[in-house]
Amino acid sequence: MSRWTWSEVFAFHRTRKGIGERSLLVDRGESGYRNAFLPDGRILYMGEGKRGHQEPVGGNLRLLRAHREGTPLRVFLRERPGVWRDLGWYRVEGWRYALLSEEGRYVYWFTLAPGGCEGAL
């Protein structure tokens, strides 16, 4: 797991959004999204959209397709401003659409499992 600058991550990820074409950005709550890092190495990744019910469009649709097609995604963890850790390749192992009761809205929860396709581009 190597450390990357934001400019290196952006060159690969190509968007400021958390869900890119071939990679994901995760953090420990700084973005307002509630990612959960599970003891077994998996990540519970909250879908795209901070207001209202999340819909199967944009980044959420991309992750639904990655699950269906088995497409691996590279995951970058924000350690502090300007410093990211490359966690490697993950696959979308599963997903659920559930009520986030404290906000009164439905959101996607994607389960990311390490070890997608090593070296995938």
Side-chain angles (χ1 to χ4, degrees):
M1 287 184 252
S2 60
R3 288 198 167 57
W4 293 37
T5 64
W6 169 247
S7 59
E8 291 169 321
V9 170
F10 188 76
F12 185 91
H13 189 66
R14 298 183 176 212
T15 180
R16 293 187 180 282
K17 292 185 175 191
I19 304 170
E21 288 291 327
R22 55 192 181 141
S23 55
L24 299 171
L25 305 179
V26 299
D27 61 31
R28 299 191 186 276
E30 299 91 348
S31 65
Y33 288 99
R34 302 173 185 193
N35 305 308
F37 297 85
L38 306 177
D40 63 3
R42 293 181 305 155
I43 300 169
L44 193 56
Y45 188 87
M46 184 184 223
E48 184 176 83
K50 291 184 181 178
R51 289 185 214 95
H53 300 311
Q54 291 182 352
E55 300 290 334
V57 297
N60 294 330
L61 181 58
R62 195 168 297 130
L63 291 179
L64 291 167
R65 284 184 180 147
H67 175 253
R68 185 181 70 228
E69 298 166 5
T71 306
L73 298 161
R74 199 167 195 168
V75 176
F76 296 98
L77 170 66
R78 181 182 186 266
E79 292 192 323
R80 63 183 179 273
V83 179
W84 296 78
R85 187 171 5 140
D86 178 6
L87 298 182
W89 295 94
Y90 280 66
R91 60 189 164 77
V92 181
E93 181 180 75
W95 60 273
R96 65 186 169 93
Y97 189 64
L99 179 65
L100 186 60
S101 56
E102 60 268 29
E103 294 183 16
R105 66 190 188 108
Y106 281 85
V107 300
Y108 282 98
W109 292 102
F110 297 95
T111 303
L112 309 176
C117 179
E118 303 307 316
L121 297 173

